[in-house]
Amino acid sequence: MSCYEITGGRPLSGSLAVHGAKNSVLPILAACLLVPGQCVLHNCPDLSDVSATIDILRLLGCRVDREGDTVTVDASLLSRSDIPDHLMREMRSSVIFLGALLARMGAAELSYPGGCELGPRPIDLHLSALRSLGAEILEEQGVLVCRSGGRPQNRELCLSIPSVGATENAMLAACGCPCQTTILGAAREPEIIDLAGFLRRLGAQIAGAGTSAITIQGGVPLHPAEYRIMGDRIAAATYLCAAAAATGEVELTGVDPDTLTAILACLGEAGCTLHTGPDRMVLASAAPLRGIRPVRTAPYPGFPTDAQAILMAALAGGEGSTLFVENIFDSRYRHVDELRRMGADIQIAGRAAMVTGVGKLHGASLRSTDLRGGAALVVAALAAEGTSQVSGLRHIRRGYQTLDRNLRALGADIRELP
Ligand code: EPZ
């Protein structure tokens, strides 16, 4: 099993163009099912989750080609609406295909997406949202058999949690309902805005994306389009936290700084200097990071749960204490034991974790437990004294394109060992 070998203590410097957003390209790839024709997507990251999604599109009968960061999807010959279990298991966020298949095919069949490293990943909000749109959904031995149904009528559905995936599924299904759908309690993440931007490019009539009330006038004929995926704000946060912890000065391009204001505020409070422009940001860090006010994860525009482990890793090797509270997922502290192996002082009590900076972590042999937890270990290792090995790269490859090569280009001593 391959791993990264990282020797810490080297400041980072230079400029990096951040890849397209994983959590935007996945629903947008599913949205390509809505139109019989060829859509062209630019700035698509080369990630294993993207490859898994492309495998599903091809299995459903789409023609998908990739050239560099451009992916073309032709859903003209979409021929089936069932996703086999082994592909569902490969990536639980494939549940996003539900809404698009219902809209285009009037049917969808897929196995229940399993839980993951973050704990149970229920889809009750997805199913209740789709049922609100008239879908008939049977759950038989772990398989969801869905049919669109019900007389088209204007509908209003309300999400009790601003679930990103459930909002996306409802948006995609609503495009196929020849009526007006209003989604209340919608997620406000930038990736929702990006999905709405793509759907509007297809000809969909959508208003309110980015607010908690989204209105879709469905049944409008849609046509193929070309679109550029937004930059990945969590990948950007990862590189910023790496530079903050290892010190140095790094410029990132290709990401709108307005999509990660909560993280930038934390890094500024921890002692970093930040400058931002329309799609660039520069972070300079010259001293150990300070403890900051409590970091409570919350739906956007609050502090993103995906950046919790990454910021924690950066602060664990600094000075001062910071309280983290993980409010989104039940089991998102699995990276803590690994950070403790590096000398981190982190006390957990339920959803809270008190991080007391120990001045410097030391290298260790580490195992990635999940996507962002793995990235957090890389961040910690870059600032630690000595050498670390980080295994479980399959987790990291789900959401980071050439992480080691990008960090080496910024001056890090990191290489992949077979
Ligand atoms: C999306 O997951 C992201 N994934 C996650 O990123 C991210 O952490 C999460 O949103 C929160 O921002 C993609 O976009 C592919 P949710 P999603 O539905 O849609 C509960 C990463 O690291 N819930 O907003 O699955 C759920 O258990 C990944 O890139 C229900 O109870 O997240 C969680 O506690 C990890 N019932 C909360 O809502 C449901 O039907 C938020 O989940 C759905 C969700």
Side-chain angles (χ1 to χ4, degrees), residues 22-24 26-27 49 91-93 95-96 116 118-128 160-168 187 189 191 232-234 298-300 304-307 327-330 332 351 370-372 398-399:
K22 167 179 87 80
N23 293 347
S24 179
L26 297 183
D49 272 8
M91 188 181 63
R92 66 164 311 284
S93 48
V95 69
I96 191 61
C116 73
L118 308 182
R121 299 293 293 275
I123 60 168
D124 56 306
L125 298 176
H126 296 244
L127 302 184
S128 59
S160 55
I161 298 174
S163 156
V164 173
T167 301
E168 292 164 345
E189 271 70 2
E191 291 76 19
D232 193 313
R233 60 192 172 103
I234 306 301
Y300 194 88
T305 174
D306 293 350
N327 295 308
I328 305 294
F329 288 109
D330 294 336
R332 205 162 196 177
R351 288 186 173 275
D370 57 272
L371 164 57
R372 306 303 177 183
R398 287 188 46 223

Side-chain angles (χ1 to χ4, degrees), residues 12-14 236-237 239-252 263-264 266-268 271-276 280-286 289:
L12 301 186
S13 65
Y239 291 110
L240 291 177
C241 287
T247 72
E249 179 163 332
V250 163
E251 176 193 51
L252 300 183
I263 299 157
L264 296 178
C266 291
L267 291 171
C272 298
T273 306
L274 289 149
H275 299 288
T276 59
R280 66 186 283 275
M281 50 199 106
V282 179
L283 176 139
S285 167
L289 298 177

Side-chain angles (χ1 to χ4, degrees), residues 20-35 39-45 50 53-54 57 71-73 75 93 96-97 100 168 171-172 190-202 225-231:
K22 167 179 87 80
N23 293 347
S24 179
V25 70
L26 297 183
I28 286 177
L29 281 167
C32 291
L33 291 177
L34 295 174
V35 291
C39 290
V40 181
L41 304 178
H42 299 293
N43 201 30
C44 289
V50 173
T53 302
I54 289 173
L57 288 172
V71 170
T72 56
V73 180
S93 48
I96 191 61
F97 280 99
E168 292 164 345
M171 289 166 70
L172 294 173
E191 291 76 19
I192 300 285
I193 298 174
D194 214 30
L195 173 61
F198 175 66
L199 292 172
R200 273 200 296 275
R201 193 70 60 82
L202 298 178
E226 194 159 349
Y227 193 74
R228 180 176 179 78
I229 306 294
M230 66 178 275

Side-chain angles (χ1 to χ4, degrees), residues 3-252:
C3 69
Y4 287 147
E5 183 173 82
I6 301 164
T7 299
R10 295 179 50 157
L12 301 186
S13 65
S15 182
L16 175 70
V18 178
H19 60 68
K22 167 179 87 80
N23 293 347
S24 179
V25 70
L26 297 183
I28 286 177
L29 281 167
C32 291
L33 291 177
L34 295 174
V35 291
Q38 179 173 285
C39 290
V40 181
L41 304 178
H42 299 293
N43 201 30
C44 289
D46 184 9
L47 307 169
S48 56
D49 272 8
V50 173
S51 302
T53 302
I54 289 173
D55 288 347
I56 291 173
L57 288 172
R58 285 176 173 149
L59 175 124
L60 294 172
C62 298
R63 179 188 162 86
V64 184
D65 296 301
R66 165 159 222 149
E67 194 171 326
D69 73 359
T70 296
V71 170
T72 56
V73 180
D74 187 338
S76 308
L77 301 177
L78 184 60
S79 56
R80 58 190 280 191
S81 57
D82 63 309
I83 299 176
D85 185 55
H86 73 278
L87 287 181
M88 278 303 293
R89 288 183 182 282
E90 198 171 323
M91 188 181 63
R92 66 164 311 284
S93 48
S94 311
V95 69
I96 191 61
F97 280 99
L98 255 184
L101 284 169
L102 282 173
R104 174 77 187 278
M105 302 288 278
E109 188 173 319
L110 44 88
S111 54
Y112 244 92
C116 73
E117 307 84 4
L118 308 182
R121 299 293 293 275
I123 60 168
D124 56 306
L125 298 176
H126 296 244
L127 302 184
S128 59
L130 298 176
R131 285 181 170 123
S132 303
L133 295 178
E136 293 151 18
I137 301 176
L138 295 176
E139 302 168 51
E140 298 164 350
Q141 286 96 30
V143 176
L144 295 168
V145 181
C146 313
R147 295 273 179 281
S148 56
R151 216 168 21 85
Q153 60 184 17
N154 292 349
R155 292 183 170 96
E156 192 173 87
L157 62 96
C158 190
L159 295 174
S160 55
I161 298 174
S163 156
V164 173
T167 301
E168 292 164 345
N169 250 330
M171 289 166 70
L172 294 173
C175 287
C177 298
C179 58
Q180 176 168 300
T181 300
T182 300
I183 306 167
L184 299 176
R188 298 167 53 192
E189 271 70 2
E191 291 76 19
I192 300 285
I193 298 174
D194 214 30
L195 173 61
F198 175 66
L199 292 172
R200 273 200 296 275
R201 193 70 60 82
L202 298 178
Q205 293 177 14
I206 293 187
T211 75
S212 55
I214 301 176
T215 302
I216 298 109
Q217 181 55 48
V220 172
L222 302 179
H223 51 75
E226 194 159 349
Y227 193 74
R228 180 176 179 78
I229 306 294
M230 66 178 275
D232 193 313
R233 60 192 172 103
I234 306 301
T238 308
Y239 291 110
L240 291 177
C241 287
T247 72
E249 179 163 332
V250 163
E251 176 193 51
L252 300 183

Side-chain angles (χ1 to χ4, degrees), residues 5-8 362-365 381 384-389 413:
E5 183 173 82
I6 301 164
T7 299
H362 56 74
S365 177
E385 272 171 350
T387 300
S388 302
Q389 287 77 32
D413 181 348

